Amino acid sequence: MSNAAYWLPIVWAVLAATAIFIYVVLDGFDLGIGILFLGETDETHRNTMVNTVAPVWDGNETWMIYGGAALYGVFPVAYGTILPALYLPVLFMLLSLILRGVAFEFRSRMISKHSKFFWDWAFCLGSLVAAVSQGAILGTLIQGIKVEHNTFVGSPWDWLAPFPLFCGFAVAVGYTLLGATWLVWRTETDLQTTMRKLASVLAVAMFALIGLASLWTPYLHVTYMNHWTAWPQIVLVLPVPVAVLAIAAIFGWAIYARYRLLPFLCTLGWFFLCFTGLGINIWPYIVPPTITIWDASSPPSSQAFLLAGSVFLLPIIIAYTAYSYYVFRGTVTAEHHYH
């Protein structure tokens, strides 16, 4: 294997993983705010919650498109194998994101209570189904996809298994925590107080779910177990659970001391550690437990061509995203309107 054939898939795996993580973080609190509509009945509070993400919510999904395009262009074998296994949860996710986007725009134009109620629930349902679908997709990938001769040979219903459904629930809880801590940071008065209390409960739930996932995942495959228990890998991975515990302590202190931004940063830290743990589990497989990133990659010339395009495209996306968040920074109240 030439140097380019070895290193380019690694570079692209890091780029694709980074794009997916940024999407999870940015759209995570966005979807979490929609899920929080389940418990928030005050119309003014709901409008304020939506107004905190109104200027940035559609731009957040740019990163999902970039990650999907990278998978299609750089790892075509993985794209052709993973997609047939995940047609249904991917379809559910896309439909729910469309429903959510339509509800987002329509709810601000409704006058009657009934129509407003309908679009509020459409927004909530779309957010919840999208979050659960993304978790089920992740869980199916970690659980492993049945492949023979680089072709999917499993059932389209493989995602309806205990571990993928558990991941769907866990991701929904995680996104809701992201949404609650985002609102602690960006709002004030009664809404902020309510979200601070809710964030405390959700953080306990997420901590328990991280612990359960950490105990469950190594038993899915021997490879995963070796990554977490064999010497000397255990020295490299031990900081991950220690950091999870440290962030839990900081989160509790931040809530008690009534910090505004720190709970959100702690939640981002938990997501980063979970993502890191996922990477440790499946490396170097892109379709666990059989197809590696080198097995799935396109010719080096194609990867190099796409990489040259990304050198121009990525700075534009990063600059646009950063500028949007900078312009619409600060506390949001019911008087702020972006529609």
Side-chain angles (χ1 to χ4, degrees):
M1 185 183 295
S2 67
N3 281 339
Y6 179 78
W7 285 107
L8 281 173
I10 295 177
V11 171
W12 269 109
V14 172
L15 282 177
T18 303
I20 292 170
F21 177 71
I22 294 174
Y23 166 74
V24 166
V25 166
L26 295 184
D27 216 28
F29 66 78
D30 186 347
L31 292 172
I33 287 172
I35 298 171
L36 286 168
F37 266 37
L38 278 171
E40 183 55 69
T41 56
D42 185 281
E43 187 60 34
T44 303
H45 285 178
R46 285 189 170 188
N47 290 336
T48 304
M49 292 161 68
V50 167
N51 286 339
T52 64
V53 294
V56 295
W57 73 274
D58 45 357
N60 293 341
E61 293 171 4
T62 305
W63 292 97
M64 180 173 66
I65 297 170
Y66 179 83
L71 185 66
Y72 177 74
V74 181
F75 302 110
V77 175
Y79 189 87
T81 308
I82 294 173
L83 202 56
L86 297 170
Y87 272 139
L88 289 174
V90 168
L91 180 64
F92 292 150
M93 180 188 73
L94 294 178
L95 290 176
S96 58
L97 287 175
I98 292 171
L99 172 65
R100 181 175 181 277
V102 172
F104 198 103
E105 300 295 338
F106 273 54
R107 66 177 299 281
S108 64
R109 301 295 179 188
M110 296 298 108
I111 298 174
S112 73
K113 278 189 173 181
H114 294 297
S115 55
K116 190 100 175 177
F117 177 82
F118 173 81
W119 287 115
D120 275 355
W121 272 95
F123 180 62
C124 178
L125 181 65
S127 302
L128 181 61
V129 174
V132 172
S133 299
Q134 289 177 12
I137 291 168
L138 175 68
T140 306
L141 192 64
I142 299 173
Q143 173 182 262
I145 294 175
K146 297 172 184 171
V147 175
E148 288 181 6
H149 308 296
N150 288 346
T151 303
F152 173 63
V153 294
S155 162
W157 301 100
D158 285 350
W159 60 278
L160 276 178
F163 188 76
L165 295 178
F166 163 79
C167 289
F169 174 71
V171 167
V173 171
Y175 282 180
T176 311
L177 176 61
L178 268 177
T181 51
W182 168 265
L183 292 171
V184 169
W185 176 29
R186 297 296 306 277
T187 64
E188 54 190 16
T189 65
D190 293 347
L191 178 58
Q192 187 196 56
T193 303
T194 302
M195 291 302 150
R196 192 182 296 278
K197 292 177 182 175
L198 189 58
S200 304
V201 177
L202 289 167
V204 173
M206 185 171 176
F207 183 74
L209 290 168
I210 291 174
L212 185 54
S214 302
L215 294 173
W216 193 342
T217 305
Y219 289 95
L220 293 174
H221 294 290
V222 175
T223 307
Y224 297 167
M225 182 65 81
N226 289 337
H227 283 171
W228 285 95
T229 58
W231 182 267
Q233 289 94 325
I234 191 171
V235 176
L236 299 175
V237 301
L238 192 60
V240 175
V242 173
V244 170
L245 286 171
I247 287 178
I250 296 171
F251 186 97
W253 174 67
I255 290 290
Y256 174 78
R258 305 186 68 78
Y259 281 91
R260 298 181 62 166
L261 175 58
L262 194 52
F264 182 65
L265 295 179
C266 288
T267 309
L268 292 182
W270 265 343
F271 268 80
F272 175 76
L273 292 171
C274 291
F275 205 72
T276 303
L278 169 64
I280 292 170
N281 271 331
I282 69 173
W283 178 263
Y285 298 100
I286 192 168
V287 184
T290 51
I291 300 178
T292 67
I293 57 173
W294 298 283
D295 297 332
S297 59
S298 56
S301 57
S302 300
Q303 296 179 59
F305 176 77
L306 292 169
L307 191 60
S310 288
V311 169
F312 294 97
L313 182 62
L314 271 179
I316 294 173
I317 299 175
I318 292 170
Y320 161 77
T321 304
Y323 185 67
S324 299
Y325 279 84
Y326 174 76
V327 168
F328 296 101
R329 66 190 183 279
T331 303
V332 176
T333 65
E335 285 71 38
H336 288 81
H337 299 288
Y338 298 111
H339 286 85

